[in-house]
């Protein structure tokens, strides 16, 4: 995600993570050198040091630039000193290139974990250029057909497995209880605990049937926050009964055999008033391991996210996450190179030497990473050739489509205005959304204009960089109104309920053109939209265009008010 691929070298880390080092004095500072003792007099000591270095590297899942693996990545994998990588847009061009990259990584180390954020819907890495071939979780929850959700998970799993990707950071199993949540939203199956729980299990079953590691996120639940952990540390403070509702989807995913769970960078005072969940022994070793009985892989959310990098530093965050019970560290989308890798690896080694991290805890974490990779290899071989319905994404998008009132097909060639919101950092800003291409294909001559979100400045939090929207802005839309004179007018919006600037603009257009049709590609809250897609995937745009051109009838049962 280029939006937040900001450079960070070792010197930057040294400044931001200075508190990590001050505790131990200058002699114990991690550096860039190979930490295997070169002067050990006993082979046993050398073997122990080498194994410690391997374990420290194995728990890391790092990013890298480019569409082929850098030499340092291949060397670290071959030496058993790097456990995994995370792929982003910067690494992906075509399916053929992606498959070749993954083959290169597997050749270096068959136990490599190759991870990606491929939730479907708004969050895709493989299909950024055209939008996802699958609707997101909210659309699946709207349909509420667990067999359909399982089929979507299965098809996504086949897509990943066919490329050599064995670890998917999905599904999102958060209960989106707060309608103002800026980071979960359409990524959740819904706001009802039981619905989210049954679809979480279905998605996990489908995805893992193809040998791809599923990842239930974000534990213990990010759905009731009003803040974004990419940019700060949200706090969730609720009672036991409410906690149980947010834990239910994780219980369901565990029962379905989910192979990994991702932590949330949130503060839960009821469980731990000091440490965020990612760094909390009470939440990970206590709640997740002991109370819920989960024994699979625990992976952090991006350790470079603002909630960790701005408050604790990536090195201290890495060490404390492993101490608390995490098994793998995910480096998110900020720029990453060999210096960053060595910095985190060596921070773990020094934490063991200083007695802040038990070598046995680190070894346990590394063994879980290796075991996950071996499970995936065996399961992908077993799943090869099994039947998968690759058209299920469009079917799901069509079934999720919801009409308010009596919306008739367009009576002419329209002008389409797409209002582009600033998305959460979890959504790559380059991801195509809307229905311009689809509507133009079905109604040649369709004209399109796009209105960008008005921004006031750029905010930097830790390693995260994000434009800030001017929600008080009043836009001049006279050009858009002029382009639509004598023609149908369609307004495509995204999360209207979260963007006052957009609501103000849509209201102004409708004051001039009451007949304008509003299509909501985000959250379904409010009563402005005429047509709801429950997400901004490519197939959601196709379904909306089909309906507006009279090619997709909507059953009476789908015409509901929300």
């Amino acid at each position: 995600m280029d939006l937040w691929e900001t450079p960070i070298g070792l010197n930057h880390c040294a400044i931001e993570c200075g508190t990590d080092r001050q505790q131990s004095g200058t002699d114990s500072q991690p550096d860039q050198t190979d930490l295997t003792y070169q002067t050990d007099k006993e082979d046993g000591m050398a073997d122990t040091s080498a194994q410690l270095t391997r374990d420290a590297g194995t728990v890391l899942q790092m990013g890298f630039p480019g569409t082929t693996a850098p030499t340092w990545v291949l060397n670290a994998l071959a030496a058993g000193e790097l456990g995994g990588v995370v792929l982003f847009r910067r690494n992906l061009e075509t399916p053929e290139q992606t498959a070749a990259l993954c083959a290169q990584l597997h050749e270096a180390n068959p136990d490599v974990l190759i991870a990606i954020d491929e939730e479907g819907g708004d969050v895709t890495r493989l299909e950024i250029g055209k939008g996802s071939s699958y609707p997101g979780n909210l659309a699946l929850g709207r349909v509420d057909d667990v067999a359909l959700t399982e089929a979507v998970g299965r098809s996504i799993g086949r897509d990943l497995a066919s490329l050599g990707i064995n670890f998917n950071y999905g599904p999102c199993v958060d209960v989106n209880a707060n309608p103002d949540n800026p980071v979960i939203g359409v990524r959740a199956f819904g706001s009802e605990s039981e619905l989210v729980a049954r679809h979480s299990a279905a998605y996990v079953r489908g995805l893992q049937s193809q040998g791809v590691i599923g990842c239930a996120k974000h534990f213990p639940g990010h759905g009731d926050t009003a803040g974004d952990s990419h940019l700060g540390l949200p706090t969730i403070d609720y009672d036991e009964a409410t906690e149980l509702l947010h834990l239910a989807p994780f219980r369901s995913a565990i029962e379905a055999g989910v192979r990994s769970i991702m932590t949330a960078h949130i503060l839960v005072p009821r469980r731990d008033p000091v440490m965020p969940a990612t760094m909390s022994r009470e939440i990970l070793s206590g709640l997740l391991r002991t109370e819920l009985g989960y024994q699979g892989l625990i992976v952090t959310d991006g350790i470079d996210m603002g909630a960790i990098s701005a408050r604790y530093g990536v090195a201290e965050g890495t060490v404390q996450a492993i101490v608390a019970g995490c098994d793998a560290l995910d480096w998110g989308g900020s720029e990453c190179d060999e210096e960053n890798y060595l910095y985190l690896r060596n921070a773990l080694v020094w934490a063991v030497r200083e007695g802040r991290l038990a070598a046995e805890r680190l070894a346990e974490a590394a063994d879980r990473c290796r075991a996950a990779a071996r499970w995936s290899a065996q399961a992908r071989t077993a799943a090869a050739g099994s039947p998968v319905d690759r058209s299920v994404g469009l079917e799901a998008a069509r079934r999720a489509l919801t009409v308010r009132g009596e919306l008739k097909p367009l009576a002419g060639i329209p002008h389409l205005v797409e209002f582009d919101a600033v998305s959460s950092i979890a959504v790559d800003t380059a991801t195509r959304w809307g229905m311009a291409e689809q509507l133009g294909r079905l109604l040649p001559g369709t004209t399109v204009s796009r209105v960008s979100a008005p921004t006031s400045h750029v905010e930097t939090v830790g390693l995260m960089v994000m434009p800030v929207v001017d929600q008080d802005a009043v836009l001049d839309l006279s050009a858009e109104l002029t382009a639509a004179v004598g023609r149908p007018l369609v307004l495509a919006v995204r999360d209207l309920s979260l963007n006052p600037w957009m609501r103000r603009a849509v209201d102004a257009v409708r004051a001039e053109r009451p007949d304008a049709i509003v299509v909501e590609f985000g959250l379904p809250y409010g009563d402005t939209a005429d047509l709801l897609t429950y997400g901004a995937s490519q197939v959601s745009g196709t379904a909306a265009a089909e309906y507006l051109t009279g090619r997709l009838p909507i059953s009476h049962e789908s015409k509901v008010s929300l």
Side-chain angles (χ1 to χ4, degrees):
M1 289 188 275
D2 290 347
L3 172 66
W4 47 296
E5 288 173 2
T6 50
I8 165 174
L10 188 61
N11 291 337
H12 187 170
C13 281
I15 295 172
E16 92 173 74
C17 306
T19 54
D20 302 1
R21 303 175 174 190
Q22 291 169 4
Q23 298 173 0
S24 312
T26 56
D27 291 341
S28 60
Q29 293 181 14
D31 57 33
Q32 303 176 56
T33 60
D34 184 348
L35 285 179
T36 302
Y37 291 137
Q38 301 299 319
T39 58
D40 285 334
K41 296 181 179 180
E42 299 181 16
D43 291 341
M45 291 178 64
D47 291 345
T48 300
S49 178
Q51 185 60 49
L52 175 59
T53 303
R54 287 192 292 270
D55 288 345
T58 295
V59 303
L60 301 178
Q61 297 177 2
M62 305 298 293
F64 58 87
T67 55
T68 58
T71 300
W72 71 265
V73 169
L74 297 177
N75 289 344
L77 286 172
E81 295 179 2
L82 177 61
V85 298
V86 189
L87 302 181
F88 290 90
R89 170 165 53 102
R90 62 195 177 208
N91 309 118
L92 311 170
E93 289 182 341
T94 66
E96 295 76 16
Q97 170 270 323
T98 302
L101 170 60
C102 292
Q104 184 185 28
L105 295 166
H106 282 292
E107 183 178 2
N109 188 335
D111 285 345
V112 63
L113 291 170
I114 304 176
I116 196 169
D117 264 310
E118 197 63 32
E119 298 175 16
D122 291 36
V123 180
T124 177
R125 302 292 180 257
L126 295 178
E127 297 187 285
I128 282 175
K130 62 178 182 178
S132 178
S133 297
Y134 307 93
N137 286 357
L138 190 62
L140 296 173
R142 169 72 185 98
V143 178
D144 196 13
D145 179 343
V146 292
L148 182 67
T149 296
E150 185 169 343
V152 167
R154 184 181 304 113
S155 190
I156 291 175
R158 175 60 61 86
D159 290 347
L160 297 177
S162 68
L163 297 171
I165 298 170
N166 56 10
F167 197 157
N168 189 15
Y169 291 153
C172 175
V173 307
D174 300 304
V175 180
N176 197 57
N178 187 340
D180 295 325
N181 193 315
V183 66
I184 302 301
V186 296
R187 301 167 65 197
F189 289 109
S191 58
E192 298 177 4
S193 178
E194 291 183 4
L195 179 146
V196 175
R198 60 179 175 266
H199 285 278
S200 299
Y203 190 111
V204 166
R205 288 194 299 268
L207 180 70
Q208 294 191 166
S209 72
Q210 301 305 301
V212 175
I213 298 164
C215 183
K217 63 185 184 185
H218 308 81
F219 188 83
H222 207 314
D224 201 17
T225 66
D228 185 346
S229 53
H230 292 90
L231 302 174
L233 182 60
T235 297
I236 295 181
D237 198 1
Y238 40 50
D239 58 22
E240 181 179 3
T242 305
E243 179 186 70
L244 291 174
L245 294 177
H246 288 274
L247 291 178
F250 292 97
R251 293 182 186 273
S252 185
I254 291 169
E255 291 171 1
V258 71
R259 291 281 164 172
S260 73
I261 289 178
M262 178 177 283
T263 65
H265 301 327
I266 59 174
L267 195 65
V268 187
R270 183 176 178 276
R271 291 286 180 170
D272 188 334
V274 177
M275 286 293 190
T278 296
M279 301 163 61
S280 170
R281 191 193 303 266
E282 288 77 6
I283 291 174
L284 300 185
S285 298
L287 175 58
L288 183 53
R289 292 287 190 211
T290 302
E291 294 185 35
L292 299 189
Y294 177 67
Q295 297 305 314
L297 183 74
I298 301 177
V299 60
T300 70
D301 205 347
I303 205 68
D304 51 335
M305 289 166 56
I308 303 299
S309 64
R311 286 175 173 261
Y312 307 98
V314 292
E316 184 65 11
T318 293
V319 170
Q320 291 303 322
I322 297 295
V323 170
C326 285
D327 304 302
L329 281 299
D330 160 30
W331 183 280
S334 54
E335 190 170 302
C336 185
D337 58 21
E338 185 177 13
E339 288 187 351
N340 307 126
Y341 154 68
L342 289 173
Y343 187 71
L344 296 189
R345 188 200 71 178
N346 296 353
L348 289 168
V349 171
W350 278 100
V352 171
R353 290 179 175 175
E354 295 168 352
R356 297 194 298 128
L357 170 62
E360 295 78 11
R361 167 78 273 273
L362 181 61
E364 176 188 51
D367 285 343
R368 281 202 178 98
C369 292
R370 299 180 187 111
R374 290 165 187 164
W375 171 85
S376 177
Q378 295 173 355
R380 279 184 289 127
T381 299
S386 60
V388 172
D389 181 3
R390 307 299 280 273
S391 67
V392 69
L394 182 55
E395 175 195 348
R398 287 168 171 164
R399 290 177 61 183
L401 204 64
T402 301
V403 179
R404 282 203 178 105
E406 296 298 325
L407 181 60
K408 296 181 180 180
L410 296 169
I413 306 301
H415 180 68
L416 170 66
V417 182
E418 295 181 331
F419 290 85
D420 203 5
V422 171
S423 303
S424 158
I425 289 177
V427 180
D428 192 308
T429 56
T431 305
R432 181 76 65 87
W433 75 277
M435 57 178 173
E437 181 179 339
Q438 298 94 320
L439 201 55
R441 186 168 57 247
L442 297 177
L443 289 178
T446 296
T447 54
V448 182
S449 58
R450 176 160 286 203
V451 177
S452 298
T455 57
S456 57
H457 62 283
V458 173
E459 182 178 3
T460 301
V461 180
L463 306 186
M464 300 291 102
V465 180
M466 184 75 174
V468 176
V469 177
D470 180 4
Q471 295 291 359
D472 297 324
V474 177
L475 305 184
D476 179 7
L477 299 174
S478 56
E480 284 72 22
L481 286 166
T482 299
V485 170
R487 305 168 59 187
L489 177 58
V490 180
L491 309 178
V493 300
R494 194 173 181 184
D495 292 333
L496 198 63
S497 64
L498 298 179
N499 290 281
W501 73 268
M502 192 185 300
R503 290 201 303 273
R504 193 177 302 114
V506 169
D507 289 344
V509 171
R510 273 204 158 162
E512 299 289 331
R513 287 289 303 268
D515 62 325
I517 296 171
V518 178
V519 183
E520 173 62 85
F521 282 85
L523 292 165
Y525 305 125
D527 58 4
T528 301
D530 303 295
L531 188 61
L532 306 170
T533 66
Y534 299 88
S537 66
Q538 171 204 164
V539 287
S540 297
T542 298
E546 288 176 339
Y547 179 78
L548 291 176
T549 56
R551 290 165 171 81
L552 179 65
I554 301 294
S555 66
H556 176 74
E557 289 76 12
S558 293
K559 297 179 181 178
V560 299
S561 296
L562 296 176

